[in-house]
């Protein structure tokens, strides 16, 4: 009902709406209306109340609820349905469940915080409340399963472009899927797939972007390697506006992928990663390999030259730049 009251107030911008009118339209008591207004105020909405005229919405907080996000959304289909939570274990796990139960392509799962935000290989994603973005997008591409790694590359390109358009700072993609600003990690992606041998049921694109975490608020372990848009831009960032442009970029790049195929995506990724020819140390399943990065192929694998003309293909792992 909070959402319904909000919608009524938003439909009457700068005008007062009487408590009587709201209770009539929603078929609830005046006391129930008052209680809900108090709740909305507690979540940050500034609502003016006058005994004669009723209620008027003065200002909305930077919340990620559907009624805040959807009206300003410029996408055609992505994010037209948003599932918003105060907290979840992981938006990816939530999205997976919803997708198993039939959620459609383009539905987005957002949470203000995550209790068990996940990184790759059992690692954690630091997810403090109400500052950043933690979201998962459900996709149902009709493509052969071996092409899924391209979607992962595509998602990194889209996230990097959204960050660049929003901040004016050029990010760098670090293999496989970190987004860095001035060498520090500002966003990470965790993509998961549910498929059979020859058919994809769905792909979950999980994206975490640090928007408003201050340096001191990062946990000690990641303080020296992480950054946020606020730190780099020197100003607080609207999560709502950033999310709207992220989804627009994601929808744009996803249709480029579906319509134009792998070459465009691979080239866009290469441009933003600038990895060719760099000396790297790769840690993969406990093993360390040093070499020169040659390229990334359409499986998302990193191709390394390890000396004496030998090449190695690394499917998963982490890299460190040597120079
Ligand atoms: C990732 O893993 O970078 C993928 C992160 C994906 C997070 C999103 S949030 C929404 C969705 N739901 C989820 O549960 N997950 C996704 P990886 O490459 O394994 O990096 C993890 C490592 O990054 C950690 O071990 C830390 O060193 C570092 N890290 C953790 N939290 C961070 C943060 N908030 N900012 C920067 N670095 C962080």
């Amino acid at each position: 009902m909070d959402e319904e009251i909000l919608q009524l107030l938003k439909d009457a911008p700068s005008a007062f709406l009487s408590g009587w009118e709201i209770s009539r339209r929603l078929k609830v008591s005046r006391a129930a209306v008052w209680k809900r207004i108090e709740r909305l105020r507690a979540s940050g909405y500034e609502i003016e109340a006058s005994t004669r005229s009723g209620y008027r919405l003065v200002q909305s907080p930077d919340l990620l609820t559907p009624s805040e996000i959807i009206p300003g959304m410029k996408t055609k289909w992505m994010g037209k349905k948003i599932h918003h939570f105060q907290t979840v274990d992981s938006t990816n796990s939530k999205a997976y469940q919803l997708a198993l139960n039939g959620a459609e392509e383009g539905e987005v799962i957002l949470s203000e915080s995550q209790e068990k935000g996940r990184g790759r290989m059992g690692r954690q994603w630091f997810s403090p409340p109400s500052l950043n973005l933690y979201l998962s997008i459900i996709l149902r591409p009709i493509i052969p399963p071996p092409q899924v790694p391209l979607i992962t590359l595509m998602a990194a390109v889209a996230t990097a472009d959204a960050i660049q358009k929003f901040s004016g700072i050029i990010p760098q993609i670090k293999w496989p899927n970190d987004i860095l600003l001035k060498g520090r990690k500002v966003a990470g992606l965790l993509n998961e797939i549910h498929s059979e041998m020859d058919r994809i049921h769905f792909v979950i694109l999980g994206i975490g972007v640090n928007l408003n975490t201050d340096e001191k608020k990062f946990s000690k372990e990641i303080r020296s390697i992480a950054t946020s848009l606020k730190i780099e831009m020197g100003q607080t960032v609207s999560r709502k506006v950033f999310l709207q442009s992220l989804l627009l970029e994601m929808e744009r790049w996803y249709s480029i992928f579906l319509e134009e195929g792998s070459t465009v995506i691979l080239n866009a990724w290469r441009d933003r990663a600038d990895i060719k020819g760099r000396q790297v140390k790769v840690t993969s399943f406990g093993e360390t390999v040093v070499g020169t990065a040659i390229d990334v192929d359409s499986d998302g694998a990193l191709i390394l030259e390890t000396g004496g003309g030998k090449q190695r293909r690394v499917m998963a792992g982490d890299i460190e730049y040597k120079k």
Side-chain angles (χ1 to χ4, degrees), residues 90-92 114 117-120 123-126 134-136 178 185 188-190 206-208 210 222 225-226:
S90 148
T91 56
N92 267 32
Q114 298 185 110
R118 293 194 272 121
R120 292 174 302 128
R123 293 187 290 223
Q124 290 179 355
W125 187 253
F126 178 68
Y134 319 110
L135 75 148
S136 302
D178 292 353
K185 186 157 168 174
L189 288 100
L190 177 70
I207 309 163
N210 299 323
I222 60 171
I225 57 161

Side-chain angles (χ1 to χ4, degrees), residues 92 120 137 139 141 143-160 173-179 187-194 200 202-207 250 253-254 257-258 262 265-266 268-270 272-273 296-301 315-317:
N92 267 32
R120 292 174 302 128
I137 304 169
L139 296 179
I143 55 170
Q147 281 191 20
V148 167
L150 285 162
I151 294 194
T152 301
L153 301 179
M154 175 286 291
V157 169
T159 307
I173 301 178
K174 182 171 175 227
W175 185 85
N177 243 344
D178 292 353
I179 316 289
L189 288 100
L190 177 70
N191 300 327
E192 293 173 299
I193 174 174
H194 180 51
I200 294 168
F202 55 80
V203 177
I204 306 291
L205 294 185
I207 309 163
M250 201 60 80
W253 275 107
Y254 183 53
F257 164 66
L258 294 178
S262 59
I265 300 300
L266 272 168
W269 193 95
R270 288 179 183 124
R272 288 154 186 78
V296 165
D297 67 17
S298 58
D299 290 336
M315 284 304 293

Side-chain angles (χ1 to χ4, degrees), residues 102-122:
E104 288 177 15
E105 174 154 89
E107 292 190 25
V108 170
I109 292 74
L110 275 166
S111 188
E112 298 288 333
S113 68
Q114 298 185 110
E115 278 147 40
K116 291 186 187 145
R118 293 194 272 121
R120 292 174 302 128
M121 300 178 275

